[in-house]
Structure formats: C-alpha cells, structure tokens
C-alpha cells in the first residue's frame, strides 16, 4: 500500500523525515526513515495510539519500525512504547527508574487518568510498560543506513530529570525537542521538572541545532531558533535563573 505523508496527516519536514500531531494532547511523534530502518520519536499516550503510529510509520517507510527514541518519561510520550515489538529502544539514562518502580508506575497511571486518559487504557499501558534497551548519558550517533545518521543527545535535566533530543542532519536539519520546547502553550513544569537547568538545556539544544534548523516541539507547530531562544529567556525569567 502506497500512501503519502499528507494522506495520513503527517507533516513532511525533510526527505524521509516527518512528524504527526496526535489528538487530545497535541503530542508530537516523529519518523526518520533510513535504509531498511525506521526511527520513531516518542510513542503516544496509549497502546492503541502506539499501534496506529507503528502501522502508519510502516506504510510510510515501506518496512517495519526498527528503532524507537523516547524523549522523556511522561505518559503521553511513552505509553505506546510496547506496541513497537522488536524495535531497539533508546532513552535518557535514568528513565528506567521512572518506568520500572511500582510507585513510579502508579504515579504515571494516575497522571494519565487525571489528564483524561481512559482508566482501562492507562492500566493496560502501565502493565505493558517497557524501558529503554539503550541509555544515553551524553551523545549517541545512531546509524540508520544509506548514509543517514541521527544524533541522540541527553541535554537534561530540565522539563524532567531525564530529557533526550534527536537531531537529524540534512537540508534542513530537524531537531525533535520533546517537551523542552512547547509551542501550543506555556512549557509545563511539573514536580519532576528541574527549572534551574532548563535554560541551559535550551542553550545546548540551540548549540546542537544551530540557527537554520527546524525545531519540533513536544506540543504545537514547528518553530525556529528564534522561538527557542525567546522561550529560553522567558523560562529564565519565570524561574529566576541568571543568564
């Protein structure tokens, strides 16, 4: 079956690179297609959403999803991960402490339900939760074949104690930011945020991506470096962080 990115509601950002905005929470999922490989960035808010992402990604790539990168351990980004059976899963070091512990899983389930996820879907997702096979503590270059490489960079803590970004070189370069950047609303700083480090994380993000990259936020429309810089300054003011 041959379909286009647009027919499936995906936004094509560069050759073999795109993203979709998932319903309800407007959460971003990304896709990077390599030579016989496909990387998904974030897995959606439920197993059913993960299955839809996997199916659409396979249609677009022409083969199965081989890699999954999780940007941070919030339910709307990780609850669909178990749908990607057989994929190599990457995440920031320390994420497993959030996804493995009984109390931590219960907190994830409760957060999902309080934000409107069906309790049965939340319970199913928690029971099936998987943690990354590969933990990124600094930077990790992932070879997707055909000359395509992506950079996984742990730039946190910031939005959470564990924040990973994905940089895809090309024309243009595309940076999947997770919830370090949000366009559709003010960045959310929950109890697991580390606000004092957040501006520095965005400085690092800008250093990695540069002025001409497309920055894909965890929620909202694609933005440029100027937007990221303005959000960095707003966060520094909001949290009283010195330049």
């Amino acid at each position: 079956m041959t379909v286009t990115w647009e027919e499936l509601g995906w936004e094509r950002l560069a050759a073999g690179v795109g993203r979709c905005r998932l319903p309800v929470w407007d959460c971003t999922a990304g896709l990077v297609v390599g030579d016989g490989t496909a990387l998904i960035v974030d897995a959606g808010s439920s197993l059913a959403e993960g299955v839809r992402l996997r199916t659409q990604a396979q249609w677009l790539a022409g083969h199965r999803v081989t890699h999954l990168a999780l940007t941070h351990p919030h339910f709307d980004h990780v609850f669909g991960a178990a749908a990607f059976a057989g994929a190599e899963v990457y995440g920031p070091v320390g994420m497993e402490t959030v996804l493995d512990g009984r109390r931590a899983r219960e907190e994830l389930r409760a957060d999902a339900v309080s934000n409107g996820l069906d309790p049965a879907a939340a319970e199913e997702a928690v029971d099936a939760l998987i943690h990354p096979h590969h933990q990124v503590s600094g930077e990790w270059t992932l070879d997707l074949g055909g000359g395509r490489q992506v950079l996984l960079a742990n730039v946190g803590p910031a939005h959470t104690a564990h924040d990973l970004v994905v940089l895809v070189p090309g024309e243009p370069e595309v940076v999947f930011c997770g919830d370090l950047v949000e366009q559709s609303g003010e960045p959310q700083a929950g109890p697991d945020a580390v606000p004092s480090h957040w501006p520095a994380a965005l400085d690092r993000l800008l250093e990695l991506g540069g002025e001409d990259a497309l920055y894909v936020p965890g929620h909202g429309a694609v933005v440029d470096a100027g937007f990221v810089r303005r959000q960095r300054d707003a966060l520094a003011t909001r949290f009283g962080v010195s330049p």
Side-chain angles (χ1 to χ4, degrees), residues 5 12-18 31-34 39 148 168:
W5 297 78
R12 188 175 179 272
L13 303 173
V17 185
L31 172 62
V32 184
V33 180
L39 165 69
R148 163 148 280 168
V168 187

Side-chain angles (χ1 to χ4, degrees), residues 38 54 58 64-68 81-90 130 133-134:
R54 183 196 68 205
Q58 288 176 171
R64 73 180 185 89
V65 173
T66 54
H67 300 78
L68 171 65
F84 295 89
E88 293 294 312
V89 183
Y90 297 77
I130 61 173
H133 309 125
H134 308 286

Side-chain angles (χ1 to χ4, degrees), residues 19-114:
R19 68 84 174 252
C20 67
R21 294 170 69 169
L22 300 170
V24 185
W25 294 283
D26 191 24
C27 183
T28 284
L31 172 62
V32 184
V33 180
D35 183 7
T37 62
L39 165 69
I40 283 283
V41 182
D42 284 336
S45 61
S46 67
L47 286 174
E49 198 159 69
V51 170
R52 288 196 297 273
L53 282 172
R54 183 196 68 205
T55 301
Q56 291 180 358
Q58 288 176 171
W59 284 341
L60 292 171
H63 46 259
R64 73 180 185 89
V65 173
T66 54
H67 300 78
L68 171 65
L70 301 174
T71 62
H72 63 285
H74 282 169
F75 82 91
D76 50 335
H77 297 259
V78 304
F79 267 12
F84 295 89
E88 293 294 312
V89 183
Y90 297 77
V93 66
M95 176 183 274
E96 73 284 354
T97 63
V98 179
L99 302 183
D100 275 351
R102 184 173 181 178
R103 179 176 177 181
R105 286 182 175 227
E106 172 55 29
E107 288 174 350
L108 274 176
R109 186 202 64 78
D111 184 46
V113 172
S114 70

